[in-house]
Amino acid sequence: MKSLIQKLVESIGPSGYEGATREIVRAEIAGLGDEQHIDALGNLIVRKGHKAANGLRIMLSAHMDEIGIIATHIDENGFVRFTTIGGVRPHTCFGGRVQFVNGVRGVIGGERLESQDKVHTFEQMYIDVGASSRADCPVKVGDMAGFERPFLDLGNRLVAKSMDDRISVAVLIEALRQFPANSPHEVYFVFSTQEEVGLRGATTAAYAIDPDLGISVDVTATGDMPKGPKMEVGLGKGAAIKVRDGGMLSDPRLVRFLVNTAEQHNIPYQLEILEGGTTDARVIQITRAGVPAGCISIPCRYIHSPSEMVDYGDVQNVVRLLTATLSGPITLE
Ligand code: CO
Ligand code: ZN
C-alpha cells in the first residue's frame, strides 16, 4: 500500500478543493465498485455488494480533504496574507511550505517578533511566493493551498502532512479491493469532502445514502510521546475502536461487535476515548431519524502538523478489521 499512500498524501486537496485527490482515488478504484458517482459536494460514493436478508446498508466514510490556508490579501510587494481552513495551529507554520491548488509554491514567513519565545500569530504571518509586486504575484485572493511536505517512509512508521485522513482513504480503497465475495451487505464507500471545516460532505452523503449502519475511518491522537496527553491509544497497538470523542458516543452495540470481531480474528485492537475532535461518524449517527454509528481509528502522532505519523501495522490491522466486519452478518445487541 505504501506507493498508494505516498500518492494520496502528497496530493494537494484542502477542504472544498479535493479534486486532485479525488482523481487519484477514482483511477485507483476503477472497476472495483458496482456503481459510483460524485455528488454535489464532491463526495466520491462507490456502492459495492447487494443487501441480503441478513445484511445491512452500510456507509463507510474517509475524508479526502486536508487542512490548509486561503489567500485573503496580496500586498503591494507581492506578499500573500492568509487565513486558515480547518484546525491549523500557528506554531506549525513558520518556515513551512505551501502548495496552492493552481500549483504555485511558497514559504511561510513572519513579521519581526519582540521576543524569540513568541510564536507568530496568523496576522503576523504571510506567504512568500517569490513575487515582487501585487501585479506579478501568481496567487490571487481566494486561492487555496495545502501544506507541502514529502512523504517519509521510516519502515514501520510512515510520516506525511495529510495522514489525516488520506491514510484512511487508502484503507477504504484497500477494503474495497478485498471486499468479501460472501458479504451480505450493500456497502457505500464514501470518500468525503469538507470534513475539516465541519463534516459537511459526510452530512449530505449520509442523508442521501440513508444507511442502516455507519462507520467512519479517521486518525486519532495518541498518548505515547514524551509528556504526551494522558491517553491510552498508542502507535503499533492495533486498530483503535472509538468509544467516544468530542462529538459523539459510538453506538455501544457496534463497539461490542467490533471488539468481538477483532478478538475472533486475532486482530490487535485498542479502545479509543478521545477528548477533543470528531469524525464523519458523528453526522452519520444523527442524520435523519438516527443511525447506529461508530469509528475505526488509525492512531496518529502530531495530528494537524506537517509531519503526522502512523504505524504501518496499525494501518493493515484497520483494513483487516473492516474486511472481517463486512464478511458476515452484523448483529447489534
Ligand atoms: Co483533521
Ligand atoms: Zn480527519
Side-chain angles (χ1 to χ4, degrees):
M1 283 171 79
K2 282 184 181 177
S3 66
L4 170 60
I5 294 168
Q6 173 160 13
K7 257 193 279 181
L8 288 167
V9 297
E10 289 185 348
S11 70
I12 295 293
S15 305
Y17 293 74
E18 299 89 352
T21 308
R22 186 170 53 234
E23 279 315 302
I24 295 170
V25 179
R26 207 140 76 126
E28 222 37 66
I29 62 167
L32 294 177
D34 294 336
E35 190 192 343
Q36 72 185 60
H37 74 283
I38 296 168
D39 74 5
L41 270 74
N43 297 300
L44 173 55
I45 302 175
V46 185
R47 182 178 62 76
K48 179 77 177 174
H50 299 281
K51 186 168 153 171
N54 60 349
L56 299 174
R57 184 186 303 141
I58 300 175
M59 173 173 166
L60 304 177
S61 190
H63 66 92
M64 295 187 289
D65 63 309
E66 64 187 308
I67 57 172
I69 60 95
I70 183 168
T72 53
H73 175 75
I74 320 292
D75 77 12
E76 67 268 27
N77 297 314
F79 293 104
V80 179
R81 297 288 177 160
F82 62 94
T83 190
T84 55
I85 300 293
V88 180
R89 285 156 304 163
H91 62 268
T92 62
C93 290
F94 182 82
R97 298 175 185 192
V98 297
Q99 186 182 337
F100 284 84
V101 173
N102 65 10
V104 173
R105 291 177 162 87
V107 301
I108 302 174
E111 297 168 5
R112 181 176 164 278
L113 291 174
E114 308 249 305
S115 138
Q116 292 297 328
D117 310 327
K118 290 247 163 64
V119 173
H120 290 98
T121 63
F122 289 118
E123 291 70 31
Q124 294 169 312
M125 283 187 272
Y126 52 81
I127 296 163
D128 186 339
V129 295
S132 50
S133 71
R134 192 205 302 248
D136 78 0
C137 183
V139 171
K140 302 289 170 246
V141 168
D143 286 352
M144 306 267 291
F147 296 91
E148 190 186 53
R149 194 69 66 114
F151 173 70
L152 178 60
D153 180 354
L154 298 176
N156 288 336
R157 305 276 157 92
L158 309 177
V159 182
K161 61 151 172 77
S162 59
M163 286 298 178
D164 176 13
D165 191 25
R166 307 278 169 72
I167 192 64
S168 310
V169 169
V171 162
L172 281 205
I173 292 170
E174 195 56 35
L176 178 58
R177 241 180 228 136
Q178 297 180 26
F179 190 79
N182 57 342
S183 175
H185 307 297
E186 177 184 56
V187 184
Y188 289 81
F189 292 78
V190 178
F191 300 94
S192 69
T193 57
Q194 300 193 37
E195 190 272 354
E196 297 290 358
V197 291
L199 317 166
R200 295 174 192 166
T203 301
T204 60
Y207 187 91
I209 292 166
D210 192 12
D212 303 317
L213 184 82
I215 300 175
S216 68
V217 184
D218 208 327
V219 297
T220 191
T222 72
D224 59 350
M225 302 90 82
K227 297 191 181 175
K230 285 212 166 27
M231 189 174 173
E232 285 292 309
V233 175
L235 293 199
K237 290 161 63 183
I241 298 169
K242 188 187 294 290
V243 179
R244 182 265 186 205
D245 66 23
M248 84 176 302
L249 293 156
S250 298
D251 189 293
R253 300 165 297 175
L254 178 57
V255 171
R256 271 195 293 279
F257 182 84
L258 292 172
V259 165
N260 290 339
T261 303
E263 286 179 352
Q264 276 163 20
H265 292 81
N266 290 315
I267 301 166
Y269 73 95
Q270 43 193 329
L271 293 180
E272 173 205 346
I273 294 96
L274 181 68
E275 296 203 10
T278 195
T279 75
D280 283 348
R282 170 191 162 85
V283 292
I284 303 175
Q285 187 177 47
I286 57 177
T287 195
R288 293 176 179 255
V291 175
C295 172
I296 304 176
S297 300
I298 298 161
C300 183
R301 291 180 186 161
Y302 324 122
I303 294 178
H304 287 195
S305 85
S307 298
E308 301 174 329
M309 179 187 288
V310 300
D311 180 273
Y312 195 43
D314 291 340
V315 175
Q316 286 159 322
N317 284 320
V318 171
V319 174
R320 291 174 63 206
L321 181 53
L322 262 183
T323 307
T325 301
L326 299 178
S327 67
I330 296 175
T331 42
L332 298 183
E333 53 198 8

